[in-house]
Amino acid sequence: MPDIQFVVTNAGIEAAINAEQQGLKIVVSHFSIGTGYGYTPTVNDVDLHGNMLYRGEPAKYRYVNPNTRLFVCNLPPEIGPFEFGEIALWLDTGVLFALCAFDSPISKYSSIESTISSSVTFNCILTLAQGM
């Protein structure tokens, strides 16, 4: 799988700034996989560009440094078959925090409907360059 770059949205940065000013933390509650691909996410995005195919909770979260966090997101073997090309991270408030897109779609097969199954793991490293 190719390297992909997440774009942290303006709404995500604003939520992080507001939370920090109030002594709170933001919560990335779930991720979603969509059908869109071949585009460059922008800081102004508010949703997936394609249709949502799957929604799940991050499997793990890790503090890397004061400005960087790692979110591990898994697509389980039993979901599919479908092709996806984008992944979004969402705050518990429903705000799109970060988005990335692949150049071309990726096939995901189900262990239930096929002898070829696949599980996919995304290691999502996000850095707030603004120094939150």
Side-chain angles (χ1 to χ4, degrees):
M1 192 171 292
D3 287 338
I4 53 175
Q5 298 291 318
F6 274 90
V7 172
V8 178
T9 66
N10 282 339
I13 290 171
E14 183 178 331
I17 289 170
N18 291 339
E20 182 181 49
Q21 289 173 348
Q22 298 173 18
L24 303 171
K25 299 195 182 291
I26 59 171
V27 176
V28 174
S29 62
H30 64 281
F31 70 96
S32 58
I33 300 298
T35 58
Y37 64 91
Y39 66 91
T40 302
T42 73
V43 297
N44 296 313
D45 282 325
V46 295
D47 204 350
L48 294 167
H49 287 220
N51 295 318
M52 184 174 69
L53 296 166
Y54 178 79
R55 175 184 165 151
E57 294 180 8
K60 295 179 188 175
Y61 161 85
R62 193 175 105 204
Y63 173 93
V64 176
N65 66 46
N67 298 327
T68 306
R69 307 295 186 272
L70 167 67
F71 297 91
V72 178
C73 302
N74 297 317
L75 298 181
E78 63 272 7
I79 66 167
F82 54 74
E83 288 188 334
F84 66 94
E86 58 189 342
I87 180 171
L89 298 176
W90 299 88
L91 299 180
D92 59 349
T93 59
V95 170
L96 175 63
F97 185 67
L99 179 66
C100 73
F102 297 100
D103 291 334
S104 58
I106 297 170
S107 296
K108 169 68 177 80
Y109 299 100
S110 167
S111 61
I112 295 171
E113 296 178 354
S114 173
T115 57
I116 302 171
S117 68
S118 60
S119 62
V120 179
T121 299
F122 296 100
N123 291 298
C124 310
I125 299 173
L126 302 179
T127 299
L128 295 178
Q130 291 79 357
M132 297 300 308

